Amino acid sequence: MRKNKSNCNLNTCFMCRQCLKEWLPAIDANKKVFHFKKGEVLFKEGELMSGLYFINSGSVKVHKKWGSDKELIVRFAKEGDIAGHRGLGKDYFYSVSATALEPVTVCFVDMEFFNATLKVNTEFLFQLMMFFAEELKVSEKKMRNMAHMKVKGRIAIALLSLSNKFGFDLEGFINIPLSKQDLASYAGATYETVFRIINELIEEDIIRVFGKKITILQPQVLENFTKYEGM
């Protein structure tokens, strides 16, 4: 991590978009802009929460320990998203880790200024509450899928949700670098199972893979895999 000399434009991140215009100079004075290389950790699970991160560019995986040597990817974050908010609560410890999937630039604000921002900006507070509510619904749905859906369906959901969030690049690939291990961690499956199912999807001409790039050729077929049996 290194401090970035360049300033953000004060209209990209979640906080800047929702705060009063009169509050933007305060944000500009209190934020710190950091740059992380690919693979660098923004914050680590179990660390005392020092503040929140607002992503200006790049993509981040948010993950937590799953057993002794595995991880579960909780969500992905991109430009305009927030990270580190899962540390909010009574104890103020980060309950997850965040790692850069590519070069990432973030605005960081400490807890004192963040709390002051909440007290002054009611719209930001409301939007943050709605964001938490949506995250809770997504987490509950993911728990249900982990318990009741076959791995193929979970992989299909992962690919469809990533394409919806990140879109596609000029070549038609999902616009995020994604290893099979990361896909396995996001779908809650083993690497070996994901490797086998990805090869099946390639053979059936449902997706196409080039390195860490994936494109969806038949989205409706993937959608069919996400339906529960008997429903």
Side-chain angles (χ1 to χ4, degrees), residues 135-169:
E135 273 217 328
L136 180 60
K137 286 195 293 185
V138 171
S139 295
E140 290 175 340
K141 188 174 182 179
K142 190 167 184 178
M143 287 176 62
R144 182 191 67 179
N145 292 342
M146 292 274 286
H148 300 292
M149 185 175 284
K150 293 181 178 179
V151 177
K152 197 168 191 177
R154 300 206 303 267
I155 292 172
I157 285 178
L159 293 174
L160 291 169
S161 64
L162 288 170
S163 66
N164 288 334
K165 182 174 182 64
F166 291 94
F168 298 92
D169 62 20

Side-chain angles (χ1 to χ4, degrees), residues 156-157 160 164 218-227:
I157 285 178
L160 291 169
N164 288 334
Q218 299 187 59
Q220 188 54 55
V221 176
L222 282 184
E223 190 70 42
N224 291 337
F225 293 145
T226 69
K227 297 177 181 177

Side-chain angles (χ1 to χ4, degrees), residues 39-99:
E40 274 195 286
V41 176
L42 282 70
F43 54 86
K44 191 174 293 186
E45 182 179 352
E47 287 181 345
L48 183 66
M49 184 181 186
S50 54
L52 282 86
Y53 298 77
F54 298 89
I55 301 169
N56 285 333
S57 64
S59 55
V60 169
K61 66 175 180 179
V62 179
H63 52 100
K64 66 185 294 99
K65 294 176 183 176
W66 186 24
S68 59
D69 59 346
K70 296 180 181 178
E71 69 174 22
L72 180 67
I73 294 179
V74 177
R75 61 187 281 261
F76 291 92
K78 64 172 185 174
E79 176 184 328
D81 286 343
I82 182 175
H85 56 284
R86 287 174 180 255
L88 295 171
K90 291 183 179 180
D91 55 7
Y92 285 94
F93 284 90
Y94 292 118
S95 61
V96 291
S97 302
T99 303

